[in-house]
Amino acid sequence: MVFSSLEFLLGFLPCLLVIYFIIPAKVRWLRNLVLLAFSLFFYQWGAHQLVLLMVASILVNYLGGLMAGRRDHPASAKFGVWFAAVLGLGLLGWFKYAGFLAQTICDLGFAIPVPHITLPIGISFFTFQGLSYVIDVYRGDAPTQKNPLDVALYVALFPQLVAGPIVRYTTVMEDITHRRETLDEFAAGVTRFCFGLAKKMVIANAMGQIADGVFNQTAANLDPGLAWVGALAYTFQIYFDFSAYSDMAIGLGRMFGFHFLENFNYPYISKSVTEFWRRWHISLSTWFRDYVYIPLGGNRCSRKRQIFNLLVVWGLTGLWHGAEWNFICWGLYYALLLIGERYVWGGLMDKLPSVIGHIYTMLFVMVGWLIFRASSLGQILSFLSAMFGANHCGIWNDQATYLVLEYRWDLLLAVIASLPVKTKLQDILDSHRDGRLSVALSTIGIPIFALGVGALSVVFLVSSGFNPFIYFQF
């Protein structure tokens, strides 16, 4: 089940809201129990019997947290971290990477059986989330949670369960037991959810239709114009697809009194690749920074060691996204760019006009998304050849013209929505918060507009059979 589905919008969510808010707020444990039960049902809807795997992951992290919190017994505390890490990452490794590893060994000429394993939905997200809890307890950054149902709710909470953001326990631990659901918070959550749903249904899906049409072409049909149109469309699709899901998750969280941190901050206005990764999928990049990069030594070591650390982190980041060679190449591609910016050409970039930095960043980001989207290493090479004119197919063909004209308003909307226009407008309203017009727009206009685009999104959902979700596979 995904948020942009009729089952969720017309079935799951209304039923949960009715049952949840019938229960008095002072009976917090019962509201939490209802939320946990619905979260497990939400996951079971798509994962079926693999919901037991998530329950096992919850149990492992609960027990690991109990042991990791025993600061009077350092050996037991360290064992708790290893217990959670080995079992959690072991399950992730088996379900996500065993088939890939076996196939790679076969490709090298060794005949071994290749297991066909069903990948549990969102396993990368809930594994990292649970492990962060145990590590934070061990470090003393979070208290040990003795109530297993609270740990279960933290890991299984449905808004962020299958596609993030990766929520730290310290972010929501107070919300789990002492949150206050208010009408203002609920309205703000609904508004955020509706805008996220519109980003998904109106913009991301339109960009996905362009991208799929181009990436399904054979190499012989690709010219630079068509290849760049496809790369641009996928660049918009993956941003609006994933950031929309984060918006909907944050909105749903607020409806129930939870406050998740932002996961995207207009990454396409970045003037360097380094800045891009401070703005894109913030919860994942900070997870790798805090739990891998810094423990490896971070910046507090020699230059050679820092380069090694970056290669490890970005190799793992690529592998986290999927058991395919293109993801590994994608991670190492960014490692080389970030190493280059830090040690080679970063100083020069600081002296260039910001528009040059922006063009440079978007060029490399679009190439990166090509590597991410490609179905094989061969397609990466054929697309790169087409984008830079190496296949001698001309510059621009009729199909590229058709796509640009057919989706011209969608492309224009994607450009506008990828810029901080909404933030600027909100700043203007905040600076005139005492004016009647500003108050009317903030309290009435924006919520009504949000409900309008939400209703439009439902129309798109009913009338179209095209509704992919990229990060559902991770």
Side-chain angles (χ1 to χ4, degrees):
M1 190 186 304
V2 295
F3 301 155
S4 56
S5 67
L6 294 178
E7 294 88 353
F8 179 83
L9 295 172
L10 304 181
F12 178 90
L13 185 58
C15 289
L16 172 57
L17 290 172
V18 169
I19 296 173
Y20 182 87
F21 284 105
I22 282 177
I23 301 169
K26 61 183 179 181
V27 192
R28 176 61 55 202
W29 69 268
L30 187 54
R31 280 193 171 186
N32 282 354
L33 189 61
V34 167
L35 202 51
L36 174 60
F38 270 80
S39 295
L40 292 174
F41 175 79
F42 177 88
Y43 189 78
Q44 190 273 338
W45 182 276
H48 305 297
Q49 69 272 18
L50 289 176
V51 68
L52 297 175
L53 176 67
M54 191 181 67
V55 173
S57 178
I58 292 170
L59 180 61
V60 165
N61 289 301
Y62 171 70
L63 296 175
L66 291 179
M67 290 184 283
R70 299 188 63 185
R71 296 182 184 86
D72 53 334
H73 293 83
S76 296
K78 186 173 292 186
F79 176 79
V81 175
W82 280 104
F83 171 79
V86 170
L87 289 181
L89 296 177
L91 289 172
L92 176 64
W94 169 255
F95 280 94
K96 194 165 186 175
Y97 304 109
F100 171 71
L101 179 60
Q103 185 60 57
T104 301
I105 294 173
C106 286
D107 292 341
L108 293 174
F110 301 94
I112 64 170
V114 178
H116 298 284
I117 304 169
T118 301
L119 179 64
I121 299 167
I123 186 172
S124 298
F125 285 96
F126 68 72
T127 298
F128 271 31
Q129 187 157 306
L131 188 56
S132 72
Y133 160 71
V134 178
I135 296 173
D136 284 350
V137 169
Y138 176 75
R139 291 176 173 176
D141 296 332
T144 304
Q145 178 51 257
K146 303 294 180 62
N147 187 339
L149 294 182
D150 287 352
V151 175
L153 182 60
Y154 160 67
V155 175
L157 190 60
F158 79 92
Q160 42 76 43
L161 175 58
V162 298
I166 302 172
V167 179
R168 306 285 180 91
Y169 181 68
T170 50
T171 301
V172 295
M173 62 182 183
E174 289 297 321
D175 290 340
I176 290 175
T177 54
H178 298 102
R179 67 187 181 277
R180 293 181 63 248
E181 302 90 338
T182 66
L183 184 59
D184 287 344
E185 283 287 289
F186 186 86
V190 171
T191 299
R192 184 68 179 267
F193 180 87
C194 287
F195 281 130
L197 183 62
K199 285 168 67 174
K200 164 62 180 160
M201 298 305 304
V202 179
I203 306 178
N205 285 0
M207 296 299 101
Q209 289 179 314
I210 301 175
D212 285 0
V214 175
F215 277 87
N216 289 334
Q217 298 287 327
T218 62
N221 293 335
L222 287 174
D223 61 18
L226 185 59
W228 280 104
V229 167
L232 177 65
Y234 187 72
T235 297
F236 283 133
Q237 181 195 5
I238 194 167
Y239 170 60
F240 288 108
D241 194 79
F242 191 22
S243 68
Y245 208 92
S246 291
D247 286 341
M248 289 187 279
I250 292 169
L252 287 166
R254 292 191 69 174
M255 290 163 67
F256 294 99
F258 290 89
H259 299 84
F260 305 147
L261 300 181
E262 295 294 334
N263 206 24
F264 290 87
N265 183 22
Y266 298 103
Y268 292 159
I269 67 170
S270 302
K271 300 177 182 64
S272 69
V273 174
T274 302
E275 181 186 355
F276 172 80
W277 277 106
R278 294 193 187 109
R279 294 174 175 271
W280 179 277
H281 202 346
I282 299 168
S283 63
L284 179 66
S285 57
T286 55
W287 197 99
F288 273 107
R289 180 198 66 196
D290 294 343
Y291 299 112
V292 181
Y293 183 69
I294 292 176
L296 285 174
N299 299 330
R300 308 179 313 276
C301 49
S302 67
R303 176 173 294 189
K304 288 183 179 179
R305 178 68 188 197
Q306 289 179 43
I307 291 173
F308 171 79
N309 294 344
L310 286 169
L311 289 170
V312 170
V313 166
W314 284 96
L316 291 175
T317 301
L319 199 59
W320 180 90
H321 281 85
E324 300 288 346
W325 284 109
N326 66 304
F327 292 123
I328 298 173
C329 291
W330 175 79
L332 295 177
Y333 166 83
Y334 272 111
L336 294 176
L337 287 175
L338 293 169
I339 291 169
E341 286 189 0
R342 179 174 296 188
Y343 299 114
V344 184
W345 58 81
L348 174 62
M349 287 182 57
D350 293 337
K351 301 175 183 178
L352 295 175
S354 60
V355 65
I356 301 298
H358 181 69
I359 293 171
Y360 149 87
T361 302
M362 289 308 301
L363 172 65
F364 281 105
V365 166
M366 289 174 67
V367 171
W369 289 135
L370 159 64
I371 299 171
F372 190 92
R373 171 61 173 79
S375 58
S376 65
L377 297 179
Q379 189 177 41
I380 294 174
L381 294 176
S382 64
F383 247 85
L384 287 175
S385 297
M387 289 169 73
F388 295 100
N391 58 358
H392 307 294
C393 292
I395 298 176
W396 191 272
N397 64 22
D398 292 340
Q399 186 176 1
T401 301
Y402 167 79
L403 290 173
V404 171
L405 293 178
E406 178 70 14
Y407 292 93
R408 59 190 181 279
W409 299 116
D410 303 285
L411 288 164
L412 179 61
L413 182 60
V415 171
I416 295 172
S418 65
L419 301 174
V421 176
K422 177 176 175 290
T423 302
K424 297 297 184 184
L425 293 175
Q426 188 64 56
D427 290 342
I428 293 173
L429 287 177
D430 291 342
S431 66
H432 298 83
R433 63 170 61 94
D434 296 330
R436 291 183 178 179
L437 180 59
S438 296
V439 172
L441 286 174
S442 298
T443 59
I444 300 174
I446 293 176
I448 289 178
F449 180 69
L451 291 174
V453 297
L456 178 64
S457 302
V458 174
V459 172
F460 275 64
L461 179 60
V462 172
S463 61
S464 175
F466 184 82
N467 189 29
F469 175 56
I470 296 172
Y471 265 72
F472 200 65
Q473 62 186 304
F474 305 129

